[in-house]
Structure formats: structure tokens, C-alpha cells
Amino acid sequence: MTVPEFRIGDMRIVKVHELDLNDFAATQLLPGLDPSVLMKHPERIDTSTYNSETGRVFMSVHTWVVWLGGKVILIDTGVGNDKNRPTLKVMDHLHTPYLERLADVGIQPGDVDYVLLTHIHSDHVGWNTRWDGDRWIPTFPNATVICSDLEWRYGAALTAGDEKAIAAIRAEAGFGPPVRIPLPGVFSDSMAPIEAASRLQGIIVDGDEVLEGIRFLSTPGHSIDHAAISITSRGAEAIFGGDVVHHPFEWCEPDLVSIFCEFPEASRRSRRWLARHLIERDATYFSSHFPFTSFGKISRAGENFGWQFLDFTDCVEGKGVLEP
């Protein structure tokens, strides 16, 4: 099976698809969206991301595999199988062939050296663990899982119902009360077993190098300590943005906020900050939920921003190469 591969510097990057998310109305995902504005700006409508007849958006859940410096890096781990998510039916007790798709790109679970998490939400940490008869165990037994220490502590406090710790961590973050909290059960089944297996590395999200060429950039708002992950090789930068943006409409209208964001004002600030960073660095953006190729470039569009997918079909033998 031939899988499209993208290259930036010495990085080899491949997308591994888990599932499609095509049942959201645009105004459900982004309650502040005015459909009439879209009709006035047809340049914002891409048929690969939006059905103008039904008003529904096209999205997906996928992960990114990066080969760099002899290491195999997995960025976020999707929803996972067998997870109990009764309030989110599209992610409840799934049985997807994700691990088979990972094998199709040449990766067995034991091959993964690092799992880098943008944040601790159900559709980004699920394959951290798999069900092994009577308990959850790490899916990637040799991988070090790296995530925000603050986000980890917040998840642990919420799971324990420790109101004093919850209040202290929210005060530390400084965003005020959230409009929502992470889905219950996710921390217990997808994060706690990683710590129990001594595979967890909590970090301060401050932009410093965590591994050679790899930095966690502070982009809070969607979650309490969300990070966009920057990987640089030979002067070229790839940004794996997690849920700073769910759909390209949010680049066109950065003040839109998804129904899944915990701290709306902080998410707006992070979106604009990351867009400026992408433009200044001429970085390539790898999304967590955009369909099609799922990666591309940001540009200025007046006070807001524009989005352009990069297309594998434009590249020789399906391989994109960006040089600094």
C-alpha cells in the first residue's frame, strides 16, 4: 500500500486516518458563524471542507507520524477503540482499524519512541492505551508520552474531584472559570495508565526545546494548557496545531470559537498568535481535524487570515518536499 508522504527538512511526515466527522453543522461547531457571511465571501468556501447545500462541515480525526533523527514520533493518538464515551456517540466504543493503518505505514506499536500530546481531550489521547482483558495498558509500550504538566495535574484533579486543587490550577492558568470541562473518563482510561507504567513525561509549556528541534508552543484556550507542537529541521518548521483550529473557517474568522473550547477568550488570542507565527516563520501547518490532505499554509487576508491546502497530487510520486 502506497501512503502519501510529506517531507520538511529531514522530517518524513505521514497522516494516519482514524475516522471522519461529517455530521456537524457549521453553526453547531462554530455557534458564532453567520452563514450569510459565507455567501458573501465564496472564496472562503472549499468543497472539501464544507457542503453549502446542507450547511455541514467535513472534518476528520487522524494522527501524524514523524520520522526524524532515527526516531519515530507520534503526534496525538486519536479516539481509540473500546473507550466508553456515552455522551459523545461518534466516539463511543469504536472498533476502527487504526493500528492496521499504522502498520500500513510501517509502524508497529513497539516502534514508537515518543508520543507528543497537544492536549488531553478524548480525540487526542485515546490510542495512548488499549484494553487488555481486564485493564487499560499502554498501546505504545516503548514510547515516552510527553504532555503539559499543568494539563496533566488539571485532569488528575478533575478526576479526583479535588475542588481545592482544581481552583488552584485554574488560578495558576489565569483564564477564569471555563465554559466546559474535559469529557469524564478520558483521564482515567487514557492517561493514568501511562503514568502507572512510568511512561509519562510532564513538561512546562514555554517554547523551550523538549527534544532536539522540538518545542511545545503555548496556545491555551481550547484546553487549559494546550500546546502547538513545533518541529524544525534544517531551518524549515512544521507546526502540529492540535485544536487551536478545528476548521479553516476559524482562520478566516479567528474570533469564532468552537463548542469544544474551554476558555473562549484565550482560544481567540492563541489562534491569532499562532497564525502570525506561521506566517512569520513560513511554517507548514498540520491540522488535527481538517479533511483532504489536512496540511497547508496560512496567509494574511486583511485583518484575518487565509488558508491553502497543500496537495500531495502536485508532488512527484506523491511526496511533497519543502526546503528552507
Side-chain angles (χ1 to χ4, degrees):
M1 178 180 179
T2 301
V3 178
E5 176 183 297
F6 200 76
R7 297 193 179 193
I8 296 181
D10 293 326
M11 283 180 268
R12 295 168 50 216
I13 305 170
V14 167
K15 182 176 76 169
V16 181
H17 180 76
E18 186 178 21
L19 71 150
D20 293 320
L21 296 175
N22 296 334
D23 291 331
F24 284 101
T27 52
Q28 177 187 11
L29 175 70
L30 304 167
L33 180 67
D34 183 351
S36 67
V37 174
L38 294 179
M39 297 302 103
K40 296 176 184 176
H41 296 278
E43 73 279 3
R44 299 181 183 180
I45 297 177
D46 185 323
T47 55
S48 70
T49 69
Y50 179 67
N51 185 327
S52 58
E53 293 183 2
T54 66
R56 294 189 180 277
V57 292
F58 301 128
M59 300 191 298
S60 73
V61 177
H62 49 264
T63 66
W64 296 100
V65 178
V66 180
W67 289 265
L68 180 64
K71 301 297 184 183
V72 177
I73 301 164
L74 186 60
I75 298 178
D76 287 340
T77 65
V79 177
N81 281 355
D82 304 305
K83 299 297 168 81
N84 184 34
R85 308 287 185 250
T87 61
L88 199 56
K89 291 298 183 182
V90 70
M91 299 179 185
D92 187 40
H93 288 95
L94 296 184
H95 295 283
T96 70
Y98 173 80
L99 292 182
E100 289 83 349
R101 291 170 184 158
L102 202 59
D104 286 340
V105 304
I107 301 298
Q108 297 298 322
D111 298 335
V112 179
D113 297 295
Y114 295 99
V115 172
L116 311 182
L117 300 178
T118 59
H119 63 298
I120 303 174
H121 278 183
S122 60
D123 53 333
H124 292 259
V125 302
W127 276 107
N128 284 359
T129 59
R130 62 180 180 84
W131 187 247
D132 187 38
D134 60 353
R135 63 194 176 107
W136 296 104
I137 64 171
T139 303
F140 310 104
N142 301 318
T144 298
V145 178
I146 303 177
C147 70
S148 157
D149 176 70
L150 188 148
E151 189 131 333
W152 165 269
R153 289 187 284 115
Y154 187 53
L158 287 169
T159 300
D162 187 339
E163 295 298 333
K164 184 176 180 180
I166 293 167
I169 294 165
R170 287 175 180 166
E172 181 181 349
F175 305 128
V179 298
R180 61 182 291 129
I181 61 172
L183 203 64
V186 173
F187 188 88
S188 296
D189 63 35
S190 299
M191 293 302 299
I194 301 301
E195 184 189 44
S198 300
R199 304 307 308 176
L200 183 76
Q201 179 183 342
I203 62 164
I204 298 172
V205 177
D206 58 6
D208 286 350
E209 257 192 351
V210 174
L211 300 167
E212 185 176 358
I214 299 177
R215 300 178 296 145
F216 280 56
L217 308 180
S218 180
T219 50
H222 175 71
S223 67
I224 197 166
D225 202 30
H226 187 286
I229 295 170
S230 165
I231 306 183
T232 302
S233 173
R234 290 196 285 121
E237 185 175 10
I239 298 284
F240 300 85
D243 283 356
V244 172
V245 175
H246 296 77
H247 190 276
F249 286 161
E250 291 170 275
W251 289 132
C252 300
E253 297 285 346
D255 288 336
L256 292 172
V257 176
S258 86
I259 57 169
F260 300 111
C261 291
E262 298 176 22
F263 302 91
E265 286 305 317
S267 75
R268 292 184 176 104
R269 291 193 297 270
S270 290
R271 197 153 32 256
R272 288 188 177 276
W273 178 87
L274 186 59
R276 290 192 296 268
H277 178 94
L278 287 159
I279 292 168
E280 290 167 4
R281 299 291 296 268
D282 192 28
T284 304
Y285 186 78
F286 292 80
S287 74
S288 290
H289 294 301
F290 293 7
F292 191 40
T293 62
S294 306
F295 67 96
K297 290 280 191 174
I298 301 296
S299 60
R300 275 282 182 189
E303 293 297 313
N304 297 327
F305 307 96
W307 169 258
Q308 180 66 52
F309 281 107
L310 293 178
D311 188 346
F312 287 115
T313 61
D314 294 332
C315 306
V316 177
E317 296 181 352
K319 292 187 177 182
V321 180
L322 281 187
E323 298 290 350

